[in-house]
Amino acid sequence: MKVLVYGAGAMGLYFAGRLAQAGHEIYLKTRSEWGEPTLTLQSPHQTNEVVALSGIFTEVPESLDVDVVILATKAWQIPDVVKDLRGKISSGAAILTVQNGITAPENASECLEESSIVASTCVVIVQRTAPGVVKLLGHEAKLVAGEFVSRNGKGLSTVIDLFKNTPIDLTGTDDIRRALWKKLALISSYGAVGAVSNLSVGQTRSHESTRQMVRDSMDECAQVARAHGVDVTESDIADIFAIYTDGFEEATTSSMQRDLAEGRPSELEDQVGEVVRRAHTVGVEAPTQNFMYRVLLAREEIARDKG
Ligand SMILES: NC(=O)C1=CN([C@@H]2O[C@H](COP(=O)(O)OP(=O)(O)OC[C@H]3O[C@@H](n4cnc5c(N)ncnc54)[C@H](OP(=O)(O)O)[C@@H]3O)[C@@H](O)[C@H]2O)C=CC1
Ligand SMILES: CC(C)(CO)C(=O)C(=O)O
């Protein structure tokens, strides 16, 4: 298939690399070129795989005939990305989002009215170590994907076909909103408690006060989801709380937490900020998320003023 990967950060390089290795025609939209249209994928076993791409460009051509577009920027960058893509890509293309939270597929569906929007939750840890170089830490990605907006009924099946013959595990779901809210409840909760306390998962879960804050925050997020018509169940929350208490390595931190700690713009607004705003619109109390958001917002604003 012919695929545009928009954004050459950690996720963009990783997906571009694995899909090109599987024989797909991959075009990468980056902000600055780095020479030959290749990228380097560093695996956990220290091997460097150099992968050839079909093209790298800094401007999206006015007309691009592709089967799939993978939006691989940070969530807050999606509105500008979809404005850039508007009118340029073939109408039947499936748009795949991989961002945490729920804003990315919503923003994509508002601007790209002719494409099917396939949203996904993605579990992987990848880091860009230099321009065109990405490091995979741990396991290959696991995605759960579903049609967020179906415009031709083919979006999910196209995306499922795309990932066949790659080491990336993709499972389809018919309730992607629930999957997105469930991951949001997990990540916004342990990430924000970790950011506020400046502690890793191993540390926050071994202290009753922070462990309880994570649980309260997850419960609040589930209540907000339900008030918005998305059925995040008690058992979903029990699942994600068990991931937090037993599934993560001791040193785990979320990417939002690491960005905030290092003074970089983070996805605070698309994670905790979004839960707080959506709680407000439906009159749900979310005191834990609210408190954490207000504390972390100052740090976010300082990071963005610097940038
Ligand atoms: N990294 C991970 O392991 C995981 C990430 N995610 C989610 O995936 C999303 C992407 O994360 P990640 O890849 O780590 O983020 P990165 O910041 O590494 O990558 C985003 C990339 O998008 C590029 N970009 C932004 N705007 C444009 C533009 N207009 N044109 C071209 N390129 C653009 C940025 O360019 P520039 O560098 O120039 O700013 C950057 O390279 C996030 O929502 C994150 O939460 C989910 C699971 C795991
Ligand atoms: C939890 C994790 C690493 C899963 O991929 C993630 O999405 C993040 O830190 O942003």
Side-chain angles (χ1 to χ4, degrees):
M1 282 188 216
K2 203 166 162 185
V3 179
L4 170 66
V5 178
Y6 199 115
M11 295 284 267
L13 291 169
Y14 169 71
F15 284 114
R18 287 297 185 232
L19 291 169
Q21 285 176 323
H24 295 293
E25 206 179 316
I26 305 298
Y27 297 86
L28 191 58
K29 161 70 168 81
T30 174
R31 276 208 258 242
S32 50
E33 283 168 45
W34 57 80
E36 293 297 302
T38 60
L39 61 82
T40 304
L41 217 155
Q42 303 176 320
S43 81
H45 316 293
Q46 306 305 324
T47 52
N48 279 352
E49 300 166 53
V50 177
V51 186
L53 304 175
S54 299
I56 297 183
F57 41 69
T58 52
E59 298 288 330
V60 179
E62 280 311 309
S63 166
L64 194 61
D65 186 17
V66 285
D67 301 296
V68 179
V69 179
I70 302 181
L71 304 183
T73 64
K74 295 283 199 184
W76 78 82
Q77 296 165 324
I78 296 287
D80 284 342
V81 170
V82 290
K83 262 185 232 145
D84 181 22
L85 288 173
R86 199 171 189 166
K88 294 181 177 169
I89 48 169
S90 29
S91 59
I95 313 292
L96 175 65
T97 63
V98 297
Q99 290 68 23
N100 284 307
I102 41 181
T103 53
E106 284 181 352
N107 286 325
S109 55
E110 273 166 30
C111 286
L112 300 170
E113 289 103 352
E114 293 183 347
S115 305
S116 285
I117 311 296
V118 179
S120 72
T121 63
C122 177
V123 177
V124 70
I125 301 184
V126 282
Q127 283 171 3
R128 183 178 62 177
T129 53
V133 184
V134 62
K135 188 173 191 174
L136 169 67
L137 301 144
H139 298 290
E140 299 284 343
K142 277 190 196 301
L143 280 86
V144 174
E147 302 245 355
F148 193 84
V149 177
S150 179
R151 293 193 169 116
N152 57 17
K154 292 192 308 198
L156 180 59
S157 57
T158 304
V159 168
I160 289 175
D161 287 347
L162 177 67
F163 284 95
K164 279 184 187 154
N165 306 321
T166 74
I168 295 168
D169 177 80
L170 185 141
T171 312
T173 174
D174 56 10
D175 198 351
I176 189 60
R177 284 175 176 74
R178 178 173 164 203
L180 290 169
W181 273 98
K182 188 175 167 181
K183 186 171 181 204
L184 178 60
L186 170 66
I187 197 143
S188 68
S189 299
Y190 86 81
V193 174
V196 166
S197 62
N198 197 21
L199 297 173
S200 68
V201 162
Q203 293 168 311
T204 61
R205 70 187 171 198
S206 64
H207 291 270
E208 186 48 34
S209 58
T210 39
R211 183 183 166 104
Q212 188 58 47
M213 271 181 92
V214 171
R215 178 69 206 214
D216 291 346
S217 169
M218 287 177 177
D219 286 334
E220 288 170 12
C221 193
Q223 278 172 40
V224 178
R226 279 180 223 129
H228 282 272
V230 181
D231 189 21
V232 175
T233 63
E234 292 296 325
S235 120
D236 288 334
I237 296 303
D239 285 352
I240 58 168
F241 192 62
I243 293 173
Y244 163 69
T245 55
D246 304 314
F248 285 138
E249 307 262 326
E250 289 282 293
T252 301
T253 52
S254 86
S255 55
M256 177 186 76
Q257 176 180 354
R258 289 192 298 279
D259 285 340
L260 285 166
E262 284 154 38
R264 294 189 294 256
S266 82
E267 293 189 308
L268 177 73
E269 288 295 354
D270 295 276
Q271 296 183 20
V272 194
E274 206 54 36
V275 176
V276 166
R277 281 185 289 276
R278 285 177 201 233
H280 186 70
T281 57
V282 287
V284 168
E285 298 275 318
T288 314
Q289 292 253 356
N290 223 319
F291 166 77
M292 296 192 295
Y293 175 61
R294 290 164 73 154
V295 172
L296 295 173
L297 187 55
R299 225 191 272 175
E300 181 72 34
E301 287 173 352
I302 291 166
R304 284 182 188 259
D305 282 351
K306 270 197 300 192

